[in-house]
Amino acid sequence: MSIFQKCEGFEAAHMYEALGLYPYFHPIEEATATEARIHGEWKVMVGSNNYLGLTHHPKVLEAASKALYKYGSGSTGSRFLNGTLDLHYELEDRLAQFFKKEAALVFTTGYQASLGALATLIERDDHLFLDRLDHASLVDGARLGHGELHRYPHGDFDALRKQLSRLPPDANKLVVSDGVFSMEGSVVDLPRLVRVAKQHGAQVLIDEAHAVGVLGPDGAGTVSHFGLQDEVDLVLATFSKSLASVGGVLAGSETVIHWLRHHSRALIFTAAMPPSSVAGVLAALEIMQNEPERRERLWANTNKVAECLRSMGFDTGATSTPVIPVLIGDIEKTLHVWRVLFDEGVFSHPIVPPAVPQNACRIRVSMSAEHSDEQVERVLAAFARVARTMVTV
Ligand SMILES: Cc1ncc(COP(=O)(O)O)c(C=O)c1O
């Protein structure tokens, strides 16, 4: 026996490659905000999370390149030591205001923000409650913590209530949920979640990864959409979606953020977010706040595509956001659909287990404010082709 035996026995990826159905790691040779050149052909990108289309905005690129020349190409150290720039503090101040919290802490990725928050806060005898469909980064953060993890069925607040009420009233409890569920596109019923949590003395953390730039009058996400800033204790977000960069943030009270700044291993034992990324996020935030018409365009594209897909007979599940799942069924069929779309010039994602249950495989489409009418039509035409060939795939 060898530790590598499992690697030698792993055949699935080769098998799908041989069938021309392998959808992962296709290298992008060049990109705009809405298209990618792959294997020499331009495809409309509906597989990114570039909701506001800011990755190629001239002001974002200019801010990033100025910072590159001012501070250098990398942070070469931890936030704790030599990695903190004045720009990190500027971004933290701006984000604290944006999320209406006292303070914020910037991590190198959104994933690390999840680990940095949950693994650090949840100590022995503390209890953490996660929706079954919460993002993997939250699950991993919870697993790294030393407290007890409870999962409740997706959106089932009666089940959450039962789990919470089994614990003594004075036990430490944190309820954690995605604001927008990343594979469903649905929005958490935050007023109910908050009510149940508060009735049981639990604190609340909301992950706004797919909600920033999308929901709320100012684009600040689900919490702002429901006006529950005072009831939600911690807000987590990433910069890898609407904010067109890479990095993550946790916003909350000054006391909690100060404690995490000095205890969070995911902050301390890794290099800081690089200067050009921080500057790019600062620019993207400003554009997002000054150009609300981008959000309007995003919603117009979203509503058009979702309605047309439904009228073609596709099941788009419970989505009410720019993340539009197109439910297909089993893996094979989903990969065939992905291939038809790819060949028609559309870059989408097949979502298969373990991200979703066996027979709930889907194509995930995500819309951008920058998709032109012509690109939207190309995407819809590709799906029309799928609808016509569906019986044979
Ligand atoms: C809901 C959610 N939280 C956290 C993350 C992690 O963010 P990042 O990709 O910036 O590490 C993601 C990324 O896909 C996400 O969808």
Side-chain angles (χ1 to χ4, degrees), residues 255-382:
T255 317
V256 172
I257 296 300
H258 178 75
W259 185 81
L260 285 170
R261 209 182 273 285
H262 295 89
H263 291 83
S264 178
R265 295 170 70 86
L267 179 86
I268 295 170
F269 294 104
T270 192
M273 199 183 154
S276 53
S277 301
V278 185
V281 175
L282 277 163
L285 257 181
E286 195 165 314
I287 298 163
M288 186 167 105
Q289 286 169 311
N290 293 339
E291 296 182 16
E293 60 275 17
R294 282 183 178 270
R295 221 160 37 253
E296 284 162 28
R297 173 89 193 147
L298 169 66
W299 279 102
N301 282 342
T302 297
N303 292 335
K304 169 147 195 205
V305 168
E307 271 164 35
C308 289
L309 288 173
R310 283 181 205 122
S311 71
M312 284 180 213
F314 290 109
D315 180 354
T316 57
T319 183
S320 55
T321 68
V323 174
I324 307 174
V326 179
L327 298 164
I328 305 293
D330 66 24
I331 297 185
E332 296 270 316
K333 199 168 177 188
T334 306
L335 291 178
H336 274 103
V337 171
W338 164 79
R339 184 76 225 188
V340 172
L341 293 170
F342 198 70
D343 291 344
E344 292 288 310
V346 173
F347 187 108
S348 66
H349 290 308
I351 310 293
V352 300
V356 289
Q358 279 296 335
N359 275 320
C361 298
R362 62 201 62 184
I363 297 291
R364 182 181 183 277
V365 169
S366 48
M367 298 309 299
S368 170
E370 284 280 317
H371 281 129
S372 66
D373 291 344
E374 188 266 333
Q375 288 168 329
V376 165
E377 290 308 326
R378 266 159 66 198
V379 172
L380 291 172

Side-chain angles (χ1 to χ4, degrees), residues 85-161:
L85 307 176
D86 51 359
L87 286 183
H88 287 103
Y89 282 128
E90 189 183 336
L91 182 57
E92 287 171 348
D93 287 346
R94 292 267 291 278
L95 288 166
Q97 278 175 35
F98 183 59
F99 291 121
K100 296 199 166 42
K101 292 287 165 206
E102 287 172 6
L105 186 57
V106 162
F107 293 76
T108 311
T109 68
Y111 182 86
Q112 282 164 292
S114 294
L115 300 195
L118 301 186
T120 319
L121 279 170
I122 307 306
E123 297 185 330
R124 206 170 302 286
D125 299 330
D126 294 342
H127 294 266
L128 191 56
F129 297 82
L130 261 65
D131 186 294
R132 272 262 159 228
L133 296 188
D134 275 352
H135 189 258
S137 58
L138 299 169
V139 179
D140 292 356
R143 285 184 181 149
L144 270 180
H146 294 292
E148 192 173 334
L149 171 61
H150 310 256
R151 310 288 303 270
Y152 59 92
H154 176 50
D156 186 343
F157 298 114
D158 289 331
L160 172 63
R161 187 193 313 271

Side-chain angles (χ1 to χ4, degrees), residues 227-251:
L228 289 170
Q229 288 93 340
D230 290 341
E231 282 75 12
V232 171
D233 303 274
L234 290 167
V235 172
L236 194 146
T238 89
F239 309 145
S240 60
K241 307 184 195 302
S242 284
L243 294 171
S245 183
V246 69
V249 63
L250 186 73

